[in-house]
Amino acid sequence: MAVSRDDPDGRRGRPVAEPVLNDLTVVVLAAGGGTRMKSKTPKVLHEIGGRSLVGHVLAAVRATSPRAVVTVVGHQRDLVGPHVTDLMPESLLAVQEEQKGTGHAVRVAVEAAGTTTGTVLVAYGDTPLLTGQSLRDFVAEHEAAQRAVSLLSGDVADPAGYGRVVRDADGEVLAIVEHKDASRSELEITEINSGIMAFEAGFLVEALPRLGNDNAKGEYYLTDLVGLARDAGLMVGAHLLEDVVQTEGANDRAQLAGLGRLLNDRVVERWMREGVTVVDPATTWIDVGVELERDVTILPGTQLERLTESVGAEELTLFEPLSNMVAWLTKVNLRAGQTIVVQGPGHMGLTCAAYAASLGARVIVTGTGEDAMRLEVAREVGADPVVDVTVDDPVEVVKD
């Protein structure tokens, strides 16, 4: 239950209850059209780091161990819905037939979930840097303070265009003021609203039908619940996220690429701190699904892609151009007994051969008479070196 503002136990900074994350419902908003992407692919299905935007968000959501998850779909739901179900079969799908704003979307989700207790967390399907730990910390603070509404906020150097979080002297949130409506003093505020919010479920269910759409777009805004909570004398607060870039969304291809670079930088740094040598981090790309061992060395220009599906063929050949240095070995789940054909005993080919041999696969490394010395190296790593062999109808080829 939320507490009123005049309850001394509800003051900011004084936890009054242990967080109860197991009574958590998460709503993921993924119904928007994403027109600025200028793509036939729904915005939330665009990928960075080997995973869709909404896939990154669902991974963060799963880390909170929620009781229920509801994903709101609308635009191209025939594509988005099955993708969400594949990634998180336990997620309910709520259809927003018309995009009438965030408040309307959450109302659709709450009606689908039948949620009336605990905490409801609202996240967005296009924020791929968001982490599960950040969400857990946010929900824990919200529940400990027994607030009706909590905002996930951030402090930025340039807040232009963002809604400002206005606090009172005690640090309690008074309002969210949009940039266009802000006074001169409010424009100087650098704390912004990310849009990610947490609600006491009872208040949310009661207040959503009271949202109005008397605005230029005729939409129902979730942020208007801040005012309704304040008018009811309930607690409203904000959790300041230091790493505010986690809340950034991708609205166009340029932003998508920028977030992709940021994500990759973080993934590469994490692996280096885990004991992996990355010779040139700037030209190394590692998908989030890749697993590496300590003391692995990754050479410049390498792209390690996430694991995909198992390969059933008894003979498997793979192709990746040497100039791209894509690590094919992360693209399939190899089985002992499969035959791997590597065409060319160069550095990449021999690396692939050694890895495949370690998995129990039969490895054939082909070359010409001029490759005799390198073919001997292939033998040493457990491969069968052969000269001038062609492969009929290969599935793919590792060509070095």
Side-chain angles (χ1 to χ4, degrees):
M1 172 180 287
V3 300
S4 63
R5 292 199 300 272
D6 55 5
D7 183 340
D9 286 336
R11 293 188 183 278
R12 183 173 181 267
R14 290 189 60 184
V16 297
E18 290 297 320
V20 188
L21 293 177
N22 62 336
D23 196 10
L24 174 67
T25 298
V26 182
V27 174
V28 178
L29 303 184
T35 56
R36 280 183 281 174
M37 281 290 184
K38 298 181 179 179
S39 173
K40 295 179 180 178
T41 301
K43 180 174 75 168
V44 297
L45 299 193
H46 282 266
E47 293 190 359
I48 61 173
R51 182 182 287 166
S52 66
L53 297 181
V54 73
H56 287 287
V57 176
L58 292 174
V61 166
R62 179 174 276 118
T64 67
S65 302
R67 176 174 56 82
V69 178
V70 184
T71 303
V72 181
V73 297
H75 180 76
Q76 292 184 285
R77 61 179 179 268
D78 57 320
L79 299 177
V80 178
H83 179 75
V84 170
T85 300
D86 286 344
L87 295 176
M88 183 178 277
E90 67 272 26
S91 175
L92 295 173
L93 295 179
V95 178
Q96 187 184 25
E97 295 287 355
E98 296 181 77
Q99 280 68 68
K100 297 181 180 180
T102 52
H104 178 255
V106 172
R107 184 173 181 179
V108 168
V110 168
E111 290 173 352
T115 299
T116 57
T117 64
T119 296
V120 178
L121 171 67
V122 179
Y124 290 81
D126 66 341
T127 53
L129 300 188
L130 191 63
T131 68
Q133 187 59 55
S134 293
L135 290 179
R136 287 184 62 86
D137 292 345
F138 174 46
V139 172
E141 181 181 297
H142 166 79
E143 293 185 346
Q146 293 188 328
R147 297 174 183 146
V149 182
S150 290
L151 322 170
L152 189 62
S153 66
D155 200 312
V156 298
D158 181 12
Y162 291 94
R164 307 304 205 276
V165 177
V166 181
R167 297 179 183 260
D168 63 17
D170 294 326
E172 187 177 342
V173 173
L174 297 176
I176 300 172
V177 180
E178 297 303 320
H179 180 90
K180 64 181 183 300
D181 300 322
S183 65
R184 180 172 298 180
S185 61
E186 290 168 340
L187 287 174
E188 295 178 358
I189 297 172
T190 56
E191 185 180 4
I192 63 167
N193 172 40
S194 72
I196 298 170
M197 303 179 74
F199 301 91
E200 191 272 319
F203 164 76
L204 181 65
V205 171
E206 182 277 327
L208 279 171
R210 295 193 285 121
L211 284 177
N213 64 342
D214 186 17
N215 53 66
K217 292 186 176 181
E219 295 184 348
Y220 299 90
Y221 295 136
L222 196 63
T223 50
D224 287 347
L225 292 176
V226 171
L228 294 180
R230 291 284 305 180
D231 291 344
L234 299 175
M235 287 282 291
V236 178
H239 177 75
L240 186 62
L241 181 63
E242 183 176 348
D243 186 22
V244 68
V245 72
Q246 289 187 35
T247 67
E248 288 192 10
N251 293 312
D252 57 35
R253 306 297 182 106
Q255 291 177 349
L256 184 70
L259 290 177
R261 166 56 71 182
L262 285 172
L263 175 63
N264 188 68
D265 289 347
R266 294 178 179 207
V267 171
V268 170
E269 180 178 349
R270 176 173 67 86
W271 282 117
M272 289 192 291
R273 296 190 184 281
E274 289 292 325
V276 173
T277 296
V278 180
V279 178
D280 184 10
T283 62
T284 299
W285 292 80
I286 305 175
D287 282 358
V288 293
V290 171
E291 294 294 330
L292 299 169
E293 298 291 338
R294 289 182 179 179
D295 294 323
V296 166
T297 297
I298 301 176
L299 299 179
T302 299
Q303 179 177 342
L304 302 181
E305 296 183 338
R306 64 182 173 85
L307 288 170
T308 54
E309 58 185 336
S310 298
V311 173
E314 291 307 314
E315 179 167 324
L316 175 69
T317 31
L318 301 156
F319 172 75
E320 296 296 355
L322 181 60
S323 61
N324 194 31
M325 289 293 286
V326 176
W328 61 270
L329 50 90
T330 65
K331 296 176 68 175
V332 295
N333 297 321
L334 302 179
R335 298 197 316 270
Q338 286 181 311
T339 298
I340 311 303
V341 180
V342 179
Q343 293 188 352
H347 173 80
M348 177 185 175
L350 292 174
T351 300
C352 293
Y355 180 80
S358 73
L359 296 178
R362 179 182 177 228
V363 184
I364 298 174
V365 179
T366 69
T368 68
E370 298 177 355
D371 296 322
M373 292 184 63
R374 284 181 173 271
L375 288 174
E376 282 304 309
V377 175
R379 190 188 306 279
E380 292 177 5
V381 300
D384 296 326
V386 295
V387 178
D388 295 329
V389 171
T390 59
V391 180
D392 295 329
D393 299 323
V395 179
E396 296 179 270
V397 178
V398 172
K399 187 173 183 180
D400 202 346

